[in-house]
């Protein structure tokens, strides 16, 4: 089941609450004052199921000018808006202001709902709809002219089912994907106190997901807390995700510690700020001119705060004009880059424009510095991201950390993390970790390095077909001489676990399933490399085993086992393979025997102990028909593998574990 958030907008008494009642069967006017006055004062919230099975949460916002801040709190995070216009009155001042707010918050998807159709006759209805269309065209915002239209009567039920069908069609074509993999973030627009249990906060989850018992942080105070339980549409759930309205129960938090506009988010995922770099777009319909140093009301997320505007490159902004600025806030807030906002005149209260955040952790700028405007323009066009990617691509042999990026590009860590996330999602950047340190590299540079490394290892395997692989030291010297050991180790771990360690940034269908390399301690080879026991290998193996067999129980040195006219390096590689396979056993420095010969000696010694309590060097010499020196080497090895043990005299042994 998909979850969507629908909001309402429109002039007071145009039937928003009655429409929601007709859609859901529930009343959003819940407090006494609302019922007495017949208008929505605060945010109302309910839900209903669409014909296609999706569940729609719906937010009823106030239409009265006095309660416009409450309306602004409700529209943030909407997927779809119902712009309500009564057929007996048409477009009114508050309708236009609500449309301006929807434009400034970049809410693209909506439906024009013409209410109170039961109060007018067909001729009036046609005239009013034509007049509404003309006024919308005159406002100059094409998005509203493109929205579908439906006439309804909340009283008789006319058009309600048709509206539900249009909602489904609209959502199917326009519902945007939510970022469920990002850090959890939810602006708080409702706060309730439950006696003896804690405080409930509610809002629309913009990013990520959250579960009961998760630890979160309440911004801007950065108060850590734990979620006791979660409700979505009035039901307890085990997880709430981006795009849903959710209510979180927080134990140990008092209602008085919070206010609308605070943000619940993942721990340390936001940085509260008192300065925002922004781009402002003035409303084309305002009668105000925005001057440098003007005091304004900033509405962002579910909250509002007073601020003063510092204009860059000009002294004022006229209706319809855009410009770069810094908002100096009178109290800290927690927002993110690209968040939309609305600006209202300080007094009298009226909407004059809005914009987007370009830097949520801005520093003070010199207003006379011409470079500031260019810097903000780059931030608006996300050129910092292009600069970051270009710089990472220039680091052809040097993966970097966030600290290195910060020192070179002078971008704050939160912005860097967001940009890296976006580029990783597009598979333009890769990351690998070693001991809690994360390294980043362009996909292009990593691909080039891997191709070089793969080619080098392929040639190495061709030169050394009987060697398990190159040593880490050899590989580092040839290809990674400029790398720190920890960076090189991080990259090797990435190659070794390639595909298995990729995060859900990569879809299941795109994930690799095989490692690129295999490692055995400090030996590295390609993942598909296997030593071939070819004819040459078999000939050398046969010579070694035959020579040892013919030696009886005498011990031969390594150099005595090499066949004549065989390359020493080749012989050494095959010898190491036979050792690893357990066919050759080193019982002393450079002395070797076959596995079979060792088992025969062990059996002879065990047979001796069944008949005798003590085994001496001399007895070992005589039993195996070897020299006393060789007998001593054999016995010392048997001590090592716990077949024999000393029993006082240096030359005497008893069976291992036998008490004297």
């Amino acid at each position: 089941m998909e979850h969507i958030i629908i909001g309402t907008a429109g002039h007071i008494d145009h039937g928003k609450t009655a429409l929601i009642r007709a859609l859901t069967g529930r009343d959003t006017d819940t407090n006494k004052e609302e019922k007495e006055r017949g208008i929505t004062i605060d945010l109302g919230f309910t839900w209903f199921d669409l014909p296609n099975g999706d569940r729609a949460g719906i937010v009823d916002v106030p239409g009265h000018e006095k309660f416009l801040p409450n309306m602004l709190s409700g529209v943030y995070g909407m997927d779809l808006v119902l712009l309500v216009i009564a057929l007996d009155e048409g477009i009114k001042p508050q309708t236009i202001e609500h449309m301006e707010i929807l434009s400034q918050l970049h809410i693209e998807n909506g439906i024009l709902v013409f209410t109170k159709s039961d109060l007018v006759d067909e001729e009036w209805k046609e005239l009013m709809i034509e007049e509404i269309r003309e006024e919308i065209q005159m406002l100059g915002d094409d998005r509203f002219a493109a929205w579908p239209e439906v006439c309804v009567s909340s009283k008789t039920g006319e058009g309600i089912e048709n509206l539900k069908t249009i909602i489904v069609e609209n959502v199917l074509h326009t519902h945007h994907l939510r970022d469920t993999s990002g850090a959890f973030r939810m602006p708080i627009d409702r706060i309730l106190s439950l006696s003896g249990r804690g405080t409930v906060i509610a809002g629309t989850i913009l990013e990520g997901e959250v579960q009961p018992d998760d630890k979160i942080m309440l911004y801007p105070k950065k108060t850590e807390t734990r979620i006791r339980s979660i409700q979505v549409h009035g039901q307890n759930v085990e997880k709430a995700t981006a795009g849903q309205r959710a209510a979180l129960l927080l134990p140990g938090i008092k209602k008085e510690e919070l206010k609308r506009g605070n943000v619940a988010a993942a721990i340390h995922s936001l940085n509260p700020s008192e300065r925002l770099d922004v781009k402002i777009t003035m409303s084309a319909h305002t009668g105000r001119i925005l001057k440098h140093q003007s005091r304004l009301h900033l509405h962002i997320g579910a909250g509002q705060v007073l601020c003063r505007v510092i204009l860059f490159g000009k002294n004022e902004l006229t209706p319809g004009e855009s410009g770069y600025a810094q908002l100096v806030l009178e109290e800290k807030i927690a927002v993110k880059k690209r968040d939309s906002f609305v600006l209202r005149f300080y007094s009298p209260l009226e909407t004059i424009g809005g914009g987007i955040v370009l830097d949520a952790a801005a520093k003070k700028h010199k207003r006379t510095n011409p470079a500031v405007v260019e810097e903000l323009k780059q931030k608006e066009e996300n050129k910092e991201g292009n600069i970051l990617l270009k710089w990472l691509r220039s680091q052809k042999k040097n993966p970097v950390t966030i600290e290195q990026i910060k020192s070179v590009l002078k971008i704050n860590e939160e912005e860097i993390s967001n940009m890296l996330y976006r580029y990783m999602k597009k598979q333009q950047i890769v990351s690998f970790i070693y001991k809690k340190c994360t390294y980043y590299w362009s996909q292009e540079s990593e691909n080039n390095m891997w191709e070089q490394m793969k080619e080098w290892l392929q040639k190495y395997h061709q030169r050394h077909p009987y060697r398990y692989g190159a040593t880490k030291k050899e590989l580092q010297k040839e290809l990674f001489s400029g790398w720190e050991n920890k960076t090189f180790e991080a990259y090797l771990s990435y190659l070794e676990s390639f595909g298995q360690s990729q995060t859900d940034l990569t879809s299941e269908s795109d994930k690799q399933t095989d490692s690129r390399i295999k490692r055995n301690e400090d030996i590295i080879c390609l993942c598909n490399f296997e030593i071939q026991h070819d004819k040459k290998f078999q000939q050398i193996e046969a010579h070694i085993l035959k020579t040892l067999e013919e030696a009886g129980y005498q011990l031969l040195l390594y150099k005595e086992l090499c066949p004549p006219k065989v390359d020493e390096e080749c012989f050494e590689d095959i010898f190491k393979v036979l050792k690893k396979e357990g066919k050759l056993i080193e019982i002393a420095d450079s002395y070797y025997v076959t596995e079979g010969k060792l088992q025969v000696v062990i059996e002879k010694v065990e047979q001796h102990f069944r008949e005798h309590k003590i085994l001496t060097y001399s007895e070992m010499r005589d039993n195996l028909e070897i020299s006393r020196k060789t007998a001593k080497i054999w016995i010392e090895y048997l001590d090592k593998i716990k077949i024999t043990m000393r029993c006082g005299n240096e030359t005497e042994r008893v069976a291992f574990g036998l008490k004297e």
Side-chain angles (χ1 to χ4, degrees):
M1 179 190 292
E2 291 287 341
H3 291 263
I4 63 169
I5 303 296
I6 298 174
T8 59
H11 194 71
I12 183 174
D13 203 28
H14 272 208
K16 295 187 294 297
T17 301
L19 175 65
I20 292 174
R21 189 187 306 117
L23 284 168
T24 68
R26 286 181 288 270
D27 200 335
T28 57
D29 281 347
T30 56
N31 69 48
K32 183 179 178 181
E33 186 182 358
E34 286 176 339
K35 289 186 177 294
E36 287 177 351
R37 297 176 64 176
I39 62 172
T40 301
I41 295 171
D42 207 345
L43 295 176
F45 177 76
T46 186
W47 68 92
F48 65 103
D49 290 330
L50 294 167
N52 67 342
D54 288 348
R55 178 158 288 180
I58 188 162
V59 184
D60 187 13
V61 302
H64 196 291
E65 179 184 5
K66 181 178 178 181
F67 305 113
L68 197 84
N70 295 7
M71 179 269 182
L72 280 156
S73 297
V75 296
Y76 212 75
M78 287 181 182
D79 296 301
L80 176 71
V81 66
L82 306 180
L83 181 57
V84 176
I85 306 171
L87 286 170
D88 62 338
E89 290 193 329
I91 290 179
K92 303 293 281 183
Q94 213 61 44
T95 313
I96 295 173
E97 187 162 16
H98 281 208
M99 292 170 72
E100 178 64 35
I101 288 167
L102 297 176
S103 296
Q104 294 291 356
L105 295 179
H106 304 286
I107 295 175
E108 303 290 338
N109 312 317
I111 300 170
L112 299 176
V113 183
F114 303 137
T115 57
K116 303 188 179 184
S117 65
D118 58 299
L119 299 183
V120 298
D121 58 30
E122 285 300 316
E123 185 178 356
W124 179 270
K125 184 188 297 184
E126 290 179 12
L127 286 171
M128 184 58 73
I129 290 175
E130 189 60 36
E131 184 178 310
I132 291 170
R133 288 172 180 164
E134 289 177 1
E135 289 192 51
I136 288 175
Q137 289 286 351
M138 289 174 60
L139 290 172
D141 194 326
D142 293 339
R143 84 185 74 195
F144 301 112
W147 286 2
E149 302 169 354
V150 59
C151 293
V152 302
S153 167
S154 301
K155 184 176 181 180
T156 67
E158 174 199 343
I160 295 300
E161 292 305 316
N162 185 31
L163 174 57
K164 290 182 179 179
T165 301
I166 294 174
I167 289 172
V168 171
E169 293 172 353
N170 193 272
V171 168
L172 286 174
H173 288 93
T174 61
H175 179 49
H176 61 276
L177 294 174
R178 297 283 188 168
D179 182 7
T180 59
S181 58
F184 165 69
R185 180 166 69 124
M186 184 186 84
I188 301 168
D189 58 41
R190 300 183 80 189
I191 305 167
L192 304 170
S193 181
L194 293 183
S195 180
R197 299 194 63 195
T199 295
V200 175
I201 58 172
T204 300
I205 301 177
L206 301 182
E207 300 169 284
E209 57 186 33
V210 70
Q211 302 178 45
D213 292 325
D214 279 356
K215 290 183 178 180
I216 60 171
M217 187 165 275
L218 302 173
Y219 296 88
K221 292 183 178 179
K222 303 182 82 169
T223 304
E224 285 193 39
T225 185
R226 178 182 62 83
I227 299 172
R228 176 173 287 171
S229 62
I230 302 174
Q231 284 195 351
V232 173
H233 304 319
Q235 297 180 341
N236 287 329
V237 296
E238 291 303 312
K239 180 171 71 174
T241 189
Q244 293 181 326
R245 288 280 308 180
L248 315 180
L249 176 58
L250 309 178
I253 298 293
K254 295 180 180 179
K255 181 180 178 181
E256 295 72 27
E257 297 178 48
L258 299 169
K259 69 176 183 177
R260 176 180 284 168
N262 288 170
V263 179
I267 291 177
H268 299 307
S269 61
L270 298 175
N271 290 309
S273 175
E274 291 178 314
R275 289 179 182 269
L276 305 177
D277 283 341
V278 299
K279 182 175 184 183
I280 295 174
T281 300
M282 294 290 287
S283 169
H285 313 292
T286 182
R288 301 284 177 183
I289 293 176
L290 177 60
K291 296 184 178 181
H292 173 63
Q293 289 285 7
S294 293
R295 198 174 184 218
L296 302 171
H297 293 267
L298 167 68
H299 296 264
I300 188 166
Q304 62 173 316
V305 62
L306 287 169
C307 67
R308 198 167 293 278
V309 61
I310 308 297
L311 293 175
F312 298 117
K314 52 186 70 179
N315 294 319
E316 62 182 29
L317 291 177
T318 57
E321 192 177 7
S322 296
Y324 298 108
Q326 184 169 94
L327 301 181
V328 182
L329 314 179
E330 296 189 11
E331 56 185 278
K332 286 188 176 183
I333 60 172
V335 298
K336 293 180 74 172
K337 183 177 179 180
R338 314 308 295 184
D339 281 354
S340 299
F341 61 84
V342 170
L343 292 173
R344 304 192 80 209
F345 200 68
Y346 179 67
S347 182
L349 283 169
E350 63 179 79
T351 302
I352 63 169
I356 59 168
V357 175
L358 302 179
D359 190 342
K363 293 181 171 55
K364 188 175 182 179
H365 303 301
K366 284 187 177 181
R367 186 168 175 263
T368 55
N369 184 357
V372 173
V373 171
E374 184 59 34
E375 180 184 334
L376 295 181
K377 185 178 180 181
Q378 289 185 355
K379 288 183 178 182
E380 181 193 5
E381 296 172 356
N382 199 30
K383 286 186 177 178
E384 313 107 297
N386 296 334
I387 294 169
L388 168 63
L389 188 59
K390 184 178 180 180
W391 183 72
L392 280 174
R393 284 173 174 166
S394 73
Q395 308 304 301
K396 298 185 184 300
K397 294 189 177 182
N398 296 286
V400 296
T401 64
I402 281 185
E403 289 301 318
Q404 289 173 295
I405 297 172
K406 282 170 61 179
S407 66
V408 172
L409 301 185
K410 310 300 183 187
I411 306 172
N412 70 65
E413 188 165 330
E414 183 182 349
E415 283 191 51
I416 292 171
S417 297
N418 290 335
M419 286 187 284
L420 289 171
Y421 173 84
R422 289 196 298 272
Y423 284 123
M424 288 174 68
K425 199 167 184 178
K426 294 177 182 177
Q427 298 184 3
Q428 293 177 295
I429 288 177
V430 298
S431 67
F432 31 91
I433 303 171
Y434 180 71
K435 292 185 176 179
K436 298 183 179 180
C437 185
T438 304
Y439 297 88
Y440 298 92
W441 212 9
S442 76
Q443 184 70 69
E444 180 183 336
S445 297
E446 193 281 321
N447 285 341
N448 290 337
M449 177 53 75
W450 166 240
E451 289 301 320
Q452 291 181 53
M453 181 173 169
K454 182 169 65 173
E455 182 181 357
W456 187 85
L457 283 172
Q458 286 171 340
K459 291 179 179 179
Y460 189 94
H461 293 328
Q462 290 170 1
R463 292 195 307 270
H464 307 287
Y466 311 122
R467 196 173 290 184
Y468 281 104
T471 65
K472 179 181 171 182
K473 187 175 181 180
E474 286 177 307
L475 183 60
Q476 190 168 8
K477 181 180 178 182
E478 288 295 327
L479 296 177
F480 301 91
S481 58
W483 288 37
E484 293 183 352
N485 284 334
K486 59 183 181 181
T487 313
F488 182 47
E489 183 61 39
Y491 185 52
L492 290 179
S493 298
Y494 166 79
L495 295 175
E496 190 177 11
S497 60
F498 186 75
Q500 302 162 22
S501 64
Q502 293 177 56
T503 69
D504 53 7
L505 293 176
T506 307
S507 67
E508 289 296 326
S509 60
D510 290 336
K511 284 186 180 180
Q512 303 289 333
T513 55
D514 296 321
S515 302
R516 286 174 165 179
I517 63 169
K518 292 186 291 189
R519 295 178 70 184
N520 183 8
E521 296 179 347
D522 279 348
I523 302 299
I524 299 158
C525 68
L526 292 171
C527 62
N528 58 356
F529 174 72
E530 298 290 343
I531 290 174
Q532 299 299 312
H533 291 55
D534 57 13
K535 185 177 180 180
K536 185 176 183 179
F537 184 100
Q538 293 171 11
Q539 288 175 343
I540 294 175
E541 177 185 13
H543 174 84
I544 293 171
L545 298 180
K546 181 182 178 183
T547 303
L548 287 171
E549 188 62 34
E550 290 174 349
Y553 300 106
Q554 292 290 346
L555 297 175
L556 298 179
L557 289 168
Y558 164 82
K559 62 183 180 180
E560 298 176 275
L561 300 174
C562 184
K565 299 181 181 179
V566 169
D567 178 72
E568 186 175 338
E569 188 178 76
C570 176
F571 170 73
E572 181 180 354
D573 290 344
I574 292 174
F575 198 89
K576 287 179 179 178
V577 173
L578 295 176
K579 278 179 63 179
K580 189 169 183 64
E581 292 177 349
K583 295 178 180 178
L584 297 178
I585 310 296
E586 185 177 22
I587 69 168
D589 186 28
S590 295
Y591 284 106
Y592 293 88
V593 296
T594 63
E595 180 186 22
K597 190 66 65 69
L598 173 61
Q599 292 304 318
V600 172
V601 170
I602 291 173
E603 290 171 8
K604 284 180 175 289
V605 170
E606 289 175 343
Q607 178 62 38
H608 177 87
F609 283 132
R610 284 192 285 270
E611 300 171 1
H612 309 281
K613 185 177 180 180
I614 301 232
L615 172 67
T616 65
Y617 285 0
S618 297
E619 288 171 323
M620 189 71 168
R621 176 197 63 195
D622 296 340
N623 288 342
L624 300 181
E625 297 180 354
I626 53 178
S627 68
R628 181 181 173 85
K629 177 183 176 183
T630 304
K632 180 176 181 292
I633 295 173
W634 270 111
I635 286 178
E636 287 176 347
Y637 182 75
L638 294 175
D639 288 347
K640 183 179 178 181
I641 63 173
K642 296 181 171 49
I643 301 296
T644 59
M645 59 183 288
R646 286 183 60 175
C647 58
N649 193 313
E650 183 182 344
T651 62
E652 295 179 344
R653 298 293 189 273
V654 294
F656 184 82
L658 181 67
K659 293 183 179 180
E660 295 185 60

